[in-house]
C-alpha cells in the first residue's frame, strides 16, 4: 500500500521485498531478496538514488546461526538452536553517509508512543509510524489499521481506516515534513 501510494504521489518507487504473497504495484521497480542480509545489501546499493527510505518490512530480529542443507531429522527430545542478530536495516540506512529521509515502523503491544519515540531517537529516524499490535482486529490480521505518526517535534494520530487510505496519509505527512525541512 505504501509503494502504491508513493507511485500515486508521483515518486519513482523501488520496492525491496522478501518472499510475500502480495502483488507489487504495476509501476514499482521490484528487487526480490531472500534474507535480511540481502535486503540490507540491496538497500545500501540503492541509497545514492534514494531521497526517502520507508522501512516497513517485518524483518526478523534473529536468524539461525547455521543453515542446514537438509531437513533436521528427529533425534533427541530437545535440541538447541543458536540464533544470531540480523542487521538493523533502518538504523544502518539512517546512519549512512548518503542518508535519505528515513521512516520506520514500531509495532508495539504496550506503551506505544514511549516505545516508538525511543526507537525513533535510538535509530536516528526522521519519522516513525506506531502501531498497537495488541489489538488483533487491526494491523497484521486485517486490511484496517490505526496508527500514530511521530517525528522529532510532533505527532499525528491517523484514524481507523483501510491500509490504502492510511498509506496515502503517511505519504502526505512525509511530503509535509520534507517540505518543512527544506524551508
Amino acid at each position: 500500500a505504501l509503494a502504491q501510494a508513493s507511485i500515486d504521489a508521483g515518486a519513482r518507487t523501488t520496492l525491496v521485498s522478501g518472499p510475500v504473497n502480495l502483488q507489487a504495484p504495476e509501476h514499482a521497480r521490484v528487487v526480490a531478496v531472500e534474507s535480511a542480509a540481502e535486503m540490507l545489501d540491496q538497500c545500501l546499493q540503492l541509497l545514492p538514488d534514494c531521497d526517502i527510505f520507508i522501512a516497513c518490512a517485518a524483518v526478523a530480529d534473529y536468524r539461525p546461526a547455521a543453515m542446514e542443507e537438509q531437513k533436521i531429522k528427529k533425534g533427541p527430545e530437545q535440541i538447541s538452536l543458536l540464533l544470531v542478530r540480523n542487521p538493523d536495516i533502518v538504523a544502518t540506512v539512517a546512519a549512512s553517509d548518503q542518508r535519505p529521509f528515513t521512516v520506520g515502523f514500531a509495532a508495539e503491544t504496550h506503551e506505544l508512543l514511549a516505545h516508538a519515540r525511543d526507537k525513533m531517537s535510538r535509530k536516528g529516524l526522521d519519522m516513525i509510524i506506531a502501531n498497537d499490535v495488541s489489538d488483533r482486529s487491526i494491523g497484521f490480521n486485517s486490511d484496517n489499521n490505526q496508527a500514530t505518526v511521530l517525528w522529532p517535534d510532533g505527532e499525528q494520530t491517523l484514524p481507523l481506516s483501510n491500509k490504502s487510505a492510511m498509506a496515502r496519509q503517511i505519504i502526505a505527512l512525509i511530503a509535509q515534513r520534507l517540505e518543512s525541512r527544506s524551508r
Side-chain angles (χ1 to χ4, degrees), residues 132-146 160-161 163:
D132 181 354
V133 295
S134 68
D135 183 346
R136 295 183 183 269
S137 68
I138 59 174
F140 294 132
N141 300 317
S142 171
D143 188 45
N144 295 317
N145 205 353
Q146 185 172 11
L160 180 66
S161 63
K163 290 180 181 174

Side-chain angles (χ1 to χ4, degrees), residues 9-121:
R12 280 185 305 130
T13 303
T14 301
L15 179 61
V16 181
S17 177
V20 295
N21 291 325
L22 299 171
Q23 187 166 343
E26 186 175 320
H27 298 289
R29 174 181 171 216
V30 179
V31 178
V33 297
E34 293 287 327
S35 69
E38 284 181 79
M39 185 173 280
L40 174 61
D41 182 55
Q42 288 297 317
C43 290
L44 293 176
Q45 286 182 41
L46 293 166
L47 282 185
D49 296 320
C50 180
D51 297 316
I52 302 167
F53 180 84
I54 303 172
C56 60
V59 176
D61 292 330
Y62 293 90
R63 68 181 184 279
M67 297 295 286
E68 299 294 330
E69 294 291 323
Q70 308 267 328
K71 173 185 171 188
I72 299 172
K73 300 297 281 177
K74 191 182 294 185
E77 282 296 314
Q78 295 182 351
I79 62 170
S80 295
L81 296 175
L82 179 62
L83 300 177
V84 295
R85 186 175 285 182
N86 265 326
D88 189 325
I89 298 168
V90 73
T92 303
V93 168
S96 73
D97 291 338
Q98 299 172 317
R99 181 187 196 290
F101 185 89
T102 307
V103 180
F105 278 71
E108 303 293 344
T109 58
H110 64 287
E111 297 184 43
L112 177 68
L113 299 183
H115 286 303
R117 281 207 180 276
D118 175 65
K119 184 176 185 178
M120 180 174 59
S121 174

